[in-house]
Amino acid sequence: MRIYLADLGHNLLTVSSDVYPMAIANLAMYLKAQSRLGPEVEARIFREPQDLKTALDEAPPDVLGLSNYAWNEELSKHFAIYAKARNPGTLVCMGGPNYPLVDSVRAEFLRSLDGVDVYVNGPTYEGEVAFLNLVERFGDVGRRVEGVLEEAAPGMHFVDPRTGELVKGDEVPRLRDLDDIPSPYLAGLLDPFLRTGYFPLLQTNRGCPFTCTFCNSGVRSNSKVFSHSVENIQADLVYLAERIKPEITLAMADDNFGMYEQDLEIADFIGHLQGKYGWPRYIRTTTGKNKGERIIQVMRKVNGALPMTSAVQSMNPVALKNIKRSNIKLETYAKIQDELRAQGMQSYGELIMCLPGETKESFLKAIEDFLDAGAKRVSAHQLMLLHGAELSDPESRERFGFDTRWRMVARNIGNYTGEPVVEVEEMVVATPQFSYEDYLYIRVFHLLLTIYFYEGNFDEPFAWARHHGLKEFDLVRALKDSLDDAPAELRKVIDDFVREGEEELFGSREECLAWSHEHYHELVDGTLGGNLLSKYSMIGRFYATGPSIEFLEEVVARTLAERGTAYDPEELRTLGGYMRAVMLHAPFEQEMAREVAWSTAFDVDTWSADGYVRPLSDYRYDEPQVLRAVVDRDKQNLINAKIEVFGEHPSGLGKFTRTMFARDLRRAFVHERDEQLVGAQDDA
């Protein structure tokens, strides 16, 4: 029995899914280990649409399994139809968390899946047992699609072709021991991805104890957490460390990494690998929602490679109650930030706009609280109504009065068989408490926050402003209020962001799809579309770099003057010159090869390294210095490796900067340290 398993991602503009297809590799391994069909089963896995097309053309399978996420739904639907056209006898199934919770919506959804025979409905993310049941039933009925649809095996959902009614098999149990799935890494199944630039993906446990209604991990069946053994995880990590480049990011699919006892052991072992192999340098995952002290211990053990993500989503008590969410107290969060700063670690905050009960004022207050507590990045996500999440159910939509629009999923576009395929998503743009005008205001505020504050992009000027009583939040708000006076190049960045943001919204899925197909060529050449926040923040940082620095200097000076705050203009000019000297911008190859000479009266690097605890005036040189700023070879290799995978255009930059720190995209000064600082002499 020939089986193709495809976890497809778009790859025309940039890779939309940048990790190894571990989920379908797990399906293949479990099927091989557990199926009574034994050697009759031949399973292949696919990531690239082009590879799947070639295989379907050359040797159509008996079974095609397609993953279904919010970012590849249309692509999987497209290949279901393509496979059926090649061989109507192929059993086509789909599985994944992008599946409605309510039966009436499920039936409507399944009827829209032309070419899909069966939905594999495992508990939340788990498809192994349900897929095994389907394959064995297919074998039992003589590999006939119509035979499969005569009766639903456990974990099967489909629309009866005779009656048009939804048919559901019994629910399947969750896997309590994830080691029942043999490692696809140790079996060599994922070896073809080792040199692709994709990120290796691990999942140490499954399940989430939280019940957040905006997330398809929040369903009750997913509330218990089951794990792999630490020994198996260590074996996978060693296998990877011995085979991939040190600069390749490690991605982890856990919902709450760092929150459990075994995570300490895993982190210890990762620290060992860092010492032996220099890998991983960066870990991308979602850290836990509580157990802050344990998460800090985990972060220490991996030597700063893991930033802490505090995904509180809201700090409004009404909104939190509406989404069935509980957060750590802000005082506890602030204590965690103090510890992180002491350890030289970073943390991020995540919020979601337009949650039911949220207001513009409460949302801005949450951003301010995050910044005051020391977060180095605050993401203001837009609320998507995901299949598989409670907020998407008809009852929730009516109760909370959601005003929704459809838009393209950024960068998820391609033409693989002669017909354009574009992904779309439904998002909330207003509620009775959060108007559309509020939505636009927050979008611009968040763009400025991302350009200027994200992971310390402009850390030194912000620290200097803070020394003069100007908080981070107040400075970003001053930038927002001063946009009419911004340099023309930066003003255009903001105006284009707002205009394109409004143009990308549509009243229905069909309208959005029709528009995207009509404008496919403009979407491909970048004239239209993309992740607009990422795209325009990248333009602001890496294309309008000079005007962005100029605007920041002007707003800081004006705001301090309006407040009557005394300051030394030479210090502010020095920081502007420092940013111009160290910040890289496009085109990167040319920029990285360029050496910059900068004359300064202040040792800004040492001031920064000391954590800005003293005034910049304490770091004045005895004599002005001319410093050289260069990009070392390791950093050039790191940046070039990212560009090779994702591209240097704004969309690609938005992808690879997610797995780098802001200081990775700077020159470093080369200068002697034997000169005495005025401040150091005073201390002595």
Side-chain angles (χ1 to χ4, degrees), residues 314-582:
S314 175
M315 295 184 185
N316 181 321
V318 176
L320 291 173
K321 182 179 179 181
N322 286 337
I323 63 174
K324 302 179 182 179
R325 173 83 171 197
S326 61
N327 289 326
I328 61 173
K329 294 181 179 179
L330 189 61
E331 305 83 58
T332 304
Y333 179 75
K335 290 179 182 178
I336 293 173
Q337 300 310 304
D338 292 339
E339 171 68 17
L340 294 176
R341 282 193 294 273
Q343 297 295 327
M345 304 177 194
Q346 294 193 352
S347 76
Y348 304 150
E350 289 189 357
L351 300 165
I352 299 178
M353 298 167 57
C354 297
L355 287 172
E358 192 76 79
T359 67
K360 171 188 170 185
E361 291 72 24
S362 68
F363 196 85
L364 287 170
K365 182 63 168 61
I367 295 177
E368 183 176 12
D369 288 344
F370 257 133
L371 298 183
D372 288 350
K376 300 302 291 184
R377 180 179 82 197
V378 181
S379 296
H381 298 298
Q382 298 183 77
L383 175 58
M384 293 170 54
L385 294 187
L386 297 168
H387 287 313
E390 188 178 323
L391 279 188
S392 184
D393 295 348
E395 181 182 350
S396 295
R397 292 168 179 263
E398 182 176 355
R399 175 187 173 195
F400 296 122
F402 291 140
D403 181 3
T404 71
R405 297 290 186 275
W406 288 85
R407 69 174 183 183
M408 286 181 49
V409 180
R411 300 182 291 264
N412 288 22
I413 180 173
N415 186 330
Y416 311 103
T417 65
E419 179 182 341
V421 182
V422 179
E423 306 297 335
V424 297
E425 62 190 1
E426 185 182 16
M427 46 175 286
V428 179
V429 298
T431 70
Q433 299 81 30
F434 204 110
S435 70
Y436 181 66
E437 289 70 26
D438 295 340
Y439 162 83
L440 292 178
Y441 182 97
I442 296 295
R443 287 281 282 165
V444 173
F445 185 94
H446 188 215
L447 174 62
L448 292 169
L449 187 69
T450 306
I451 291 173
Y452 284 103
F453 191 75
Y454 187 103
E455 288 184 355
N457 295 342
F458 291 82
D459 206 25
E460 291 79 4
F462 271 80
W464 185 87
R466 188 169 60 250
H467 267 286
H468 290 78
L470 182 55
K471 296 196 314 178
E472 292 87 344
F473 177 84
D474 294 334
L475 177 49
V476 176
R477 196 152 202 177
L479 290 165
K480 169 72 175 68
D481 295 341
S482 304
L483 280 174
D484 287 344
D485 301 321
E489 188 176 348
L490 180 61
R491 178 71 250 186
K492 185 176 186 306
V493 173
I494 307 299
D495 290 344
D496 287 349
F497 171 73
V498 174
R499 172 188 53 77
E500 198 168 348
E502 294 198 85
E503 290 175 352
E504 75 170 357
L505 303 178
F506 297 90
S508 70
R509 181 186 194 95
E510 294 72 24
E511 185 182 359
C512 185
L513 284 170
W515 180 89
S516 63
H517 285 204
E518 180 183 351
H519 295 275
Y520 177 77
H521 294 295
E522 295 99 313
L523 294 169
V524 170
D525 66 23
T527 308
L528 298 172
N531 181 320
L532 300 186
L533 179 71
S534 175
K535 170 182 173 180
Y536 283 101
S537 66
M538 293 300 102
I539 294 174
R541 282 179 64 185
F542 299 120
Y543 292 85
T545 312
S548 293
I549 297 171
E550 175 189 341
F551 184 50
L552 180 61
E553 285 185 80
E554 292 174 353
V555 171
V556 170
R558 181 188 311 151
T559 305
L560 293 180
E562 290 171 352
R563 293 185 171 196
T565 302
Y567 69 94
D568 182 352
E570 183 186 6
E571 292 183 6
L572 183 56
R573 287 195 300 271
T574 294
L575 293 176
Y578 177 85
M579 301 311 298
R580 291 179 178 88
V582 299

Side-chain angles (χ1 to χ4, degrees), residues 66-100:
L66 297 158
S67 68
N68 178 30
Y69 298 95
W71 58 83
N72 73 352
E73 178 184 333
E74 293 295 324
L75 186 56
S76 290
K77 288 162 64 174
H78 176 83
F79 272 95
I81 296 171
Y82 189 85
K84 281 291 189 183
R86 295 300 170 279
N87 179 17
T90 294
L91 174 66
V92 179
C93 61
M94 182 181 279
N98 187 44
Y99 186 57

Side-chain angles (χ1 to χ4, degrees), residues 155-440:
M156 286 173 49
H157 285 196
F158 58 87
V159 171
D160 191 318
R162 298 162 296 184
T163 66
E165 297 299 316
L166 175 66
V167 178
K168 300 190 300 179
D170 294 338
E171 293 187 9
V172 295
R174 291 184 58 193
L175 292 174
R176 303 182 70 87
D177 184 356
L178 299 190
D179 285 354
D180 287 345
I181 308 170
S183 168
Y185 287 104
L186 302 186
L189 186 58
L190 292 168
D191 279 3
F193 297 92
L194 292 173
R195 291 173 178 80
T196 61
Y198 284 107
F199 304 148
L201 181 65
L202 292 179
Q203 185 176 44
T204 74
N205 64 64
R206 291 179 179 175
C208 180
F210 305 100
T211 57
C212 311
T213 59
F214 57 83
C215 176
N216 47 28
S217 287
V219 295
R220 191 172 302 278
S221 65
N222 194 47
S223 60
K224 290 186 177 181
V225 178
F226 302 118
S227 304
H228 279 289
S229 67
V230 172
E231 293 75 16
N232 280 21
I233 296 163
Q234 290 175 339
D236 282 348
L237 286 167
V238 169
Y239 189 89
L240 290 167
E242 292 177 344
R243 289 165 173 80
I244 62 175
K245 297 178 181 178
E247 61 266 21
I248 297 296
T249 294
L250 170 63
M252 301 181 73
D254 298 22
D255 286 321
N256 297 284
F257 183 69
M259 209 169 77
Y260 305 107
E261 283 284 353
Q262 78 163 20
D263 296 339
L264 292 171
E265 292 185 67
I266 296 168
D268 260 332
F269 194 74
I270 290 175
H272 160 71
L273 295 178
Q274 289 172 324
K276 185 173 182 179
Y277 298 98
W279 177 87
R281 298 177 183 176
Y282 191 101
I283 301 170
R284 189 178 78 192
T285 189
T286 301
T287 50
K289 283 76 173 173
N290 58 29
K291 305 290 185 184
E293 294 300 325
R294 184 174 293 157
I295 294 170
I296 289 175
Q297 293 180 57
V298 167
M299 294 174 69
R300 288 176 186 164
K301 291 175 182 294
V302 298
N303 303 303
L306 172 67
M308 179 179 179
T309 302
S310 296
V312 301
Q313 315 308 2
S314 175
M315 295 184 185
N316 181 321
V318 176
L320 291 173
K321 182 179 179 181
N322 286 337
I323 63 174
K324 302 179 182 179
R325 173 83 171 197
S326 61
N327 289 326
I328 61 173
K329 294 181 179 179
L330 189 61
E331 305 83 58
T332 304
Y333 179 75
K335 290 179 182 178
I336 293 173
Q337 300 310 304
D338 292 339
E339 171 68 17
L340 294 176
R341 282 193 294 273
Q343 297 295 327
M345 304 177 194
Q346 294 193 352
S347 76
Y348 304 150
E350 289 189 357
L351 300 165
I352 299 178
M353 298 167 57
C354 297
L355 287 172
E358 192 76 79
T359 67
K360 171 188 170 185
E361 291 72 24
S362 68
F363 196 85
L364 287 170
K365 182 63 168 61
I367 295 177
E368 183 176 12
D369 288 344
F370 257 133
L371 298 183
D372 288 350
K376 300 302 291 184
R377 180 179 82 197
V378 181
S379 296
H381 298 298
Q382 298 183 77
L383 175 58
M384 293 170 54
L385 294 187
L386 297 168
H387 287 313
E390 188 178 323
L391 279 188
S392 184
D393 295 348
E395 181 182 350
S396 295
R397 292 168 179 263
E398 182 176 355
R399 175 187 173 195
F400 296 122
F402 291 140
D403 181 3
T404 71
R405 297 290 186 275
W406 288 85
R407 69 174 183 183
M408 286 181 49
V409 180
R411 300 182 291 264
N412 288 22
I413 180 173
N415 186 330
Y416 311 103
T417 65
E419 179 182 341
V421 182
V422 179
E423 306 297 335
V424 297
E425 62 190 1
E426 185 182 16
M427 46 175 286
V428 179
V429 298
T431 70
Q433 299 81 30
F434 204 110
S435 70
Y436 181 66
E437 289 70 26
D438 295 340
Y439 162 83
L440 292 178

